[in-house]
């Protein structure tokens, strides 16, 4: 394990001080200081090339900034994922346009290009660049060849070529450049993956301009198909653009986040690898994409579920795993990067995710609900897929009544979590609806009997008289924000007296200025040290629950407050800390999915 240097946390930008760019296969985080401090190539889950976000000394980075004291601002080119970082200095104003062209799948599926276009828009400014890749999470040594305006960084597993329109010099196996631009002048840096049949190529100023124009057109053309016309169009569309960035185009899978091991608590151990596809996200993805009108993306995600998830070999915990690789693989072994200190010394840094082998019964409800929603609003279910649904539901009927690790993937032992029971009910209830609507064959008598048994157990043993609320687990007396899904999943009426009492209890004990904690780790130990921030998806669920309960003024205020916690370009991490800082992996798909759902339902309630 690497050791952090005391007092050196200024080496790390706040998590929120980043924008995201990508090409539908991988992404890069660009800091407000102009540094790319996270980039994996060629895929989301590939080893890192730049990872100074997780170790400022060993991780590697692509620094590019004005070479004089300057204020910075960062924003997205309107309606795109092209990121602009501006530098305001005494003698001029400059900007960096960062983007990754989206390759034509048929022609350039192996091409990965990251373009950084520097412009002086007023006066004159000096700039400096330092490109210091550290391949394989900093563990692979590389060689450098620098000639004719091109630098090639080579390792046995990956080679990258850097071309520039300004002179570059070598410093060991790194490259640096210093240059000055007058008003209206440009400089271009282009980083390409090469090898495996992909040849190096230059990137002249005119080619960068053409690719900038094409990339802007791609994102605007894609976003133009959105059907959302509500009150929060800018935030909803930014969330949609984030979800598209987190999509792995070859399979349609959507990663939970593009990063690993950004901490839920600075200096703590709650650090996980989120660069995989969670089955739990399924229903939320399909709902959000179809609601927005992105039927192609919804269809691609459903293909991922039916061709990858539904055809995997059943594991020890049942026919489904909780997550899969972006290519559909089920083997995601977890290991620790001992040489990385972690963000601000937050170790361990993990690659892979051991939670893949946990039993989490709620995922069955998520998957069947996704299939139900797609059958309803997208394309009718195929006979083969229905046979698979029947197999899943029969398995749920046999296995629902047992403890599991639960929705929050705790590592403190299995319990009879209420949310897991709730989603088992959803799995069976949605399958019954599908069978009745389409006239499909099913053992309806057994399914209905099991569904009703689960319902009665939740109402009898999930309700806590002491709390006057539904509890985290059966016969328990601890609150948990996951029960906010009860009215959202149509298990209980949003104005049912027991639910209204639960909503009040959650508001009194787990809500702080519209921000919602998942649970109290001291009251319900989860096997991990330290505390965590509020969980942003729960905060958006709370908005929906308030709106459905008719508490519209509270719902709208809570939603507006939540939007103020987004970063400067509208992105959310997984959690929000005590002073409003973003915590956890960034940006998180689940949070942006919940934002879209809350905006839709609040819009509808407000009329």
């Amino acid at each position: 394990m690497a050791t952090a240097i005391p007092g050196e946390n200024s080496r790390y930008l706040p998590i929120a001080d980043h924008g995201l760019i990508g090409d539908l296969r991988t992404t890069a985080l660009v800091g407000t200081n102009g540094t790319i401090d996270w980039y994996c190539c060629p895929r989301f889950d590939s080893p890192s090339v730049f990872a100074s976000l997780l170790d400022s000394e060993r991780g590697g980075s692509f620094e590019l900034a004005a070479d004089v004291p300057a204020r910075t601002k960062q924003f997205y080119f309107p309606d795109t994922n092209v990121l602009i970082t501006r530098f305001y200095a005494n003698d001029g104003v400059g900007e960096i346009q960062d983007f990754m062209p989206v390759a034509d799948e048929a022609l350039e599926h192996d091409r990965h290009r990251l373009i950084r276009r520097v412009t002086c828009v007023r006066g004159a400014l000096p700039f400096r660049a330092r490109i210091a890749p550290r391949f394989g999470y900093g563990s692979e040594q590389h060689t450098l060849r620098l000639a004719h305006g091109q630098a090639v960084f080579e390792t046995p597993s990956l080679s990258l070529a850097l071309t520039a329109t300004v002179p570059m010099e070598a410093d060991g196996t790194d490259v640096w450049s210093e240059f000055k631009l007058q008003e209206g002048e440009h400089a271009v840096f282009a980083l390409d993956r090469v090898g495996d049949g992909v040849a190096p190529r230059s990137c002249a100023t005119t080619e960068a301009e053409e690719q900038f124009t094409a990339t802007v057109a791609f994102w605007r053309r894609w976003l133009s198909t959105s059907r959302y016309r509500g009150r929060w169009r800018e935030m909803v569309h930014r969330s949609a653009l984030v979800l598209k960035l987190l999509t792995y185009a070859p399979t349609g899978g959507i990663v939970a986040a593009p990063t690993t091991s950004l901490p839920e608590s600075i200096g703590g151990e709650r650090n996980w690898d989120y660069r995989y596809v969670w089955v739990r996200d399924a229903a939320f993805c399909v709902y959000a994409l179809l609601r927005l009108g992105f039927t192609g993306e919804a269809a691609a995600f459903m293909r991922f579920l039916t061709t990858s998830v539904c055809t995997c070999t059943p594991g020890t915990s049942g026919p489904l795993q909780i997550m899969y690789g972006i290519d559909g693989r089920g083997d995601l072994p977890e290991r620790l990067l001992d040489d990385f200190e972690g963000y601000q010394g937050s170790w361990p840094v993990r690659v892979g995710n051991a939670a893949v082998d946990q039993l989490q019964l709620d995922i069955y409800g998520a998957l069947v609900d996704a299939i139900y929603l797609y059958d309803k609003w997208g394309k009718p279910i195929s006979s083969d897929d229905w046979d698979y649904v029947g197999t899943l539901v029969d398995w749920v009927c046999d296995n629902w009544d047992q403890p599991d690790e639960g929705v929050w993937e705790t590592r403190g032992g299995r319990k009879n979590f209420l949310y897991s029971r709730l989603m088992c009910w959803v799995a069976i209830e949605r399958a019954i609806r599908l069978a009745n609507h389409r006239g499909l064959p099913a053992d309806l008598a057994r399914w209905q009997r099991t569904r009703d048994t689960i319902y009665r157990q939740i109402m009898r043993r999930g309700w806590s008289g002491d709390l006057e609320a539904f509890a985290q687990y059966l016969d328990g007396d601890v609150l948990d924000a996951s029960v906010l899904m009860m009215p959202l999943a149509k298990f209980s009426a949003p104005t049912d007296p027991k639910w209204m009492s639960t909503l009040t209890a959650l508001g009194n004990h787990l809500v702080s200025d519209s921000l919602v904690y998942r649970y109290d780790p001291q009251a319900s130990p989860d096997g991990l040290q330290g505390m965590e921030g509020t969980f942003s998806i729960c905060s958006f669920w709370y908005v929906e629950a308030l709106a459905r309960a008719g508490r519209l003024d509270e719902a709208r205020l809570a939603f507006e407050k939540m939007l103020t916690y987004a970063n400067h370009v509208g992105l959310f991490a997984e959690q929000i800390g005590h002073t409003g800082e973003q915590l956890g992996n960034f940006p998180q798909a689940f949070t942006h999915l919940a934002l879209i759902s809350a905006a839709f339902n609040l819009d509808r309630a407000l009329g």
Side-chain angles (χ1 to χ4, degrees):
M1 170 186 169
T3 303
I5 303 171
E8 287 293 302
N9 287 341
S10 59
R11 297 175 294 135
Y12 295 92
L13 280 179
I15 292 171
D17 285 5
H18 292 84
L20 187 73
I21 59 173
D23 64 357
L24 307 186
R25 285 159 182 79
T26 189
T27 57
L29 284 177
V30 185
T32 52
N33 59 359
T35 296
I36 294 177
D37 53 13
W38 181 254
Y39 175 56
C40 298
C41 185
R43 309 189 331 174
F44 291 103
D45 56 355
S46 297
S48 62
V49 174
F50 303 128
S52 59
L53 188 62
L54 295 179
D55 192 303
S56 63
E57 300 297 325
R58 301 173 181 84
S61 63
F62 190 148
E63 300 175 11
L64 180 58
D67 201 14
V68 292
R71 295 177 295 111
T72 65
K73 291 185 179 180
Q74 195 176 65
F75 63 97
Y76 279 108
F77 202 77
D79 295 335
T80 76
N81 281 316
V82 174
L83 190 69
I84 298 177
T85 306
R86 297 203 120 193
F87 298 84
Y88 299 84
N90 290 336
D91 295 327
V93 178
E95 69 180 33
I96 305 170
Q97 299 168 350
D98 284 306
F99 61 97
M100 296 173 69
V102 180
D104 185 315
E105 178 67 23
L107 301 176
E108 298 183 305
H109 67 281
D110 285 328
R111 169 75 63 184
H112 297 276
R113 166 166 274 196
L114 194 160
I115 295 179
R116 314 201 72 185
R117 193 167 72 148
V118 191
T119 304
C120 181
V121 296
R122 298 183 68 182
L125 271 185
F127 289 87
R128 56 178 168 75
R130 184 173 187 85
I131 300 89
R134 298 293 182 266
F135 293 85
Y137 305 110
S139 66
E140 288 187 41
Q141 298 296 315
H142 69 272
T143 60
L144 170 66
R145 288 188 289 110
L146 179 59
H148 310 299
Q150 184 176 81
V152 179
F153 306 96
E154 291 181 297
T155 73
S157 60
L158 179 66
S159 295
L160 298 176
L162 176 72
T163 55
T165 58
V166 292
M168 297 184 291
E169 295 189 38
D171 179 10
T173 55
D174 300 337
V175 167
W176 63 275
S177 177
E178 292 180 349
F179 55 97
K180 188 171 185 177
L181 298 179
Q182 302 293 325
E183 186 171 324
E185 291 183 335
H186 307 273
V188 175
F189 293 85
L191 188 66
D192 286 276
R193 180 200 181 198
V194 294
D196 294 329
V198 180
R201 72 186 193 195
S202 64
C203 187
T205 304
T206 52
E207 183 179 354
E209 173 68 30
E210 291 169 357
Q211 294 205 308
F212 173 86
T213 301
T215 304
V216 166
F218 170 85
W219 289 114
R220 287 183 168 173
R221 186 169 57 251
W222 179 80
L223 191 61
S224 68
T225 60
S226 168
R227 291 201 299 255
Y228 181 75
R229 300 293 183 270
R231 294 167 175 81
W232 297 282
R233 188 173 178 180
E234 184 175 350
M235 288 300 294
V236 168
H237 279 175
R238 178 50 54 196
S239 292
L241 285 163
V242 170
L243 293 177
K244 183 66 172 175
L245 272 181
L246 300 183
T247 301
Y248 183 63
T251 63
I254 299 176
V255 296
T259 56
T260 178
S261 301
L262 291 179
E264 298 173 10
S265 176
I266 301 299
E269 65 172 341
R270 299 168 182 264
N271 319 318
W272 318 107
D273 192 348
Y274 275 18
R275 297 172 298 162
Y276 308 111
V277 185
W278 262 253
V279 172
R280 181 174 298 110
D281 296 3
F284 294 95
C285 282
V286 172
Y287 176 85
L289 291 170
L290 288 174
R291 279 296 194 198
L292 290 174
F294 298 120
T295 54
E297 283 68 27
F301 189 69
M302 287 304 300
R303 279 197 301 275
F304 175 83
L305 293 176
T306 55
T307 61
S308 299
V309 174
C310 299
T311 58
C312 274
T313 303
T316 56
S317 296
L320 288 181
Q321 292 181 181
I322 69 165
M323 72 186 88
Y324 295 84
I326 54 176
D327 53 5
R329 73 188 188 282
D331 187 27
L332 307 173
E334 182 177 300
R335 64 188 177 94
L336 306 183
L337 300 182
D338 292 330
D339 291 334
F340 272 13
E341 72 173 18
Y343 177 81
Q344 292 194 21
S346 304
W347 196 84
V349 175
R350 293 180 168 93
V351 172
N353 200 310
V356 69
D357 296 320
Q358 288 187 353
L359 174 64
Q360 296 178 23
L361 293 167
D362 65 283
I363 61 176
Y364 295 90
L367 180 58
V368 177
D369 199 20
I371 294 170
Y372 165 78
L373 291 170
Y374 191 67
D375 177 85
K376 182 178 180 180
W377 291 329
K379 184 179 178 181
I381 189 171
S382 70
S383 57
D384 287 342
D385 289 346
W386 175 248
D387 287 342
Y388 183 72
V389 168
T391 300
L392 286 183
V393 174
D394 286 339
W395 187 91
V396 171
C397 287
D398 289 333
N399 293 276
W400 66 270
D401 194 12
Q402 62 174 311
D404 68 345
E405 273 87 6
V407 60
W408 305 132
E409 300 176 5
T410 59
R411 301 194 178 190
R414 295 181 176 182
K415 295 180 181 177
N416 289 303
F417 289 107
L418 187 148
Y419 184 80
S420 299
R421 296 295 200 275
L422 167 67
M423 295 308 289
C424 285
W425 177 90
V426 168
I428 301 171
E429 198 273 340
R430 299 301 191 267
I432 292 171
R433 285 196 198 189
L434 254 177
N436 286 330
H437 175 67
R438 296 282 309 281
L440 296 168
D443 189 352
L444 288 176
R446 184 191 183 211
W447 290 4
Q448 289 169 346
R449 196 163 53 245
T450 307
R451 177 199 62 184
D452 295 347
T453 301
I454 297 173
Y455 178 90
R456 293 190 185 99
Q457 185 190 77
I458 291 174
M459 298 304 291
R460 186 178 70 254
R461 297 177 57 195
W463 175 259
S464 167
D466 292 338
L467 294 175
E468 294 187 331
F470 288 102
Q472 182 185 60
Y473 50 88
L474 302 185
D475 305 316
D477 57 1
V478 177
L479 288 169
D480 191 300
S482 64
V483 302
L484 286 164
M485 279 298 295
M486 294 178 77
L488 277 58
K490 301 187 180 346
F491 176 87
S492 67
T495 55
D496 181 276
K498 283 189 172 181
W499 172 249
M500 296 290 274
S501 177
T502 300
L503 190 57
T504 298
L506 292 171
N508 290 339
H509 298 286
L510 292 183
V511 179
S512 171
D513 187 44
S514 82
L515 302 176
V516 181
Y517 291 92
R518 292 190 289 185
Y519 53 88
D520 180 354
Q522 293 182 324
S524 179
D526 55 15
L528 297 166
Q529 298 296 315
M531 300 297 289
E532 62 177 17
T534 57
F535 213 68
S536 293
I537 186 174
C538 296
S539 301
F540 286 119
W541 287 351
Y542 184 61
V543 169
E544 274 204 62
L546 289 172
R548 290 172 187 253
R551 294 162 60 176
L552 293 182
D553 288 343
E554 294 175 73
R556 185 167 189 176
L557 181 60
F559 189 70
E560 295 287 2
K561 283 183 176 181
M562 268 302 296
L563 297 186
T564 70
Y565 288 103
N567 83 338
H568 59 286
V569 287
L571 307 185
F572 284 93
E574 182 176 43
Q575 300 185 20
I576 296 170
H578 295 294
T579 57
E581 71 275 19
Q582 303 263 5
L583 295 171
N585 284 309
F586 174 87
Q588 197 210 26
F590 217 171
T591 301
H592 287 277
L593 289 165
L595 185 157
I596 292 169
S597 181
F600 259 106
N601 284 285
L602 188 52
D603 263 322
R604 184 167 56 187
L606 290 168

